[in-house]
Amino acid sequence: MVTTLIDARTVPPLDRHAMIFSTFDALQPGQAFDLVNNHDPVPLYFQFKSARQGQFEWHYIVEGPACWQVRIAKATPCPAAPGAQPECQAA
């Protein structure tokens, strides 16, 4: 699987989150992209958790101190048993 790499260090700060969410929204379930940044993108994680709860997966690839890389994937919907409420929660 080919994963897109977004280097947030090269994107103007005011444009970063919109570009990241736009990239995420264009993914098909099971697809992912890697995000590179010069700090822990944990504020972005909480923004994803608020705006896309249960729709994403977040995995650290590199954890600083100078460079951080996170793989952000669009979650694959889990099948629900007939009559059951799905309980899938990614991230």
Side-chain angles (χ1 to χ4, degrees), residues 1-86:
M1 170 175 77
V2 176
T3 302
T4 300
L5 179 70
I6 296 174
D7 188 342
R9 301 169 295 185
T10 66
V11 179
L14 291 175
D15 298 333
R16 287 180 189 162
H17 285 204
M19 186 207 47
I20 291 165
F21 275 94
S22 175
T23 301
F24 175 81
D25 290 340
L27 296 175
Q28 295 298 313
Q31 291 182 321
F33 65 92
D34 284 4
L35 174 69
V36 175
N37 208 348
N38 60 358
H39 65 274
D40 186 353
V42 72
L44 180 65
Y45 168 81
F46 287 113
Q47 191 174 356
F48 262 94
K49 192 167 181 171
S50 174
R52 304 291 190 281
Q53 178 68 37
Q55 299 175 39
F56 73 101
E57 298 172 5
W58 182 278
H59 303 284
Y60 283 98
I61 311 262
V62 177
E63 294 186 59
C67 179
W68 296 76
Q69 184 170 342
V70 178
R71 179 156 298 149
I72 303 170
K74 187 166 275 190
T76 303
C78 64
Q85 292 293 332

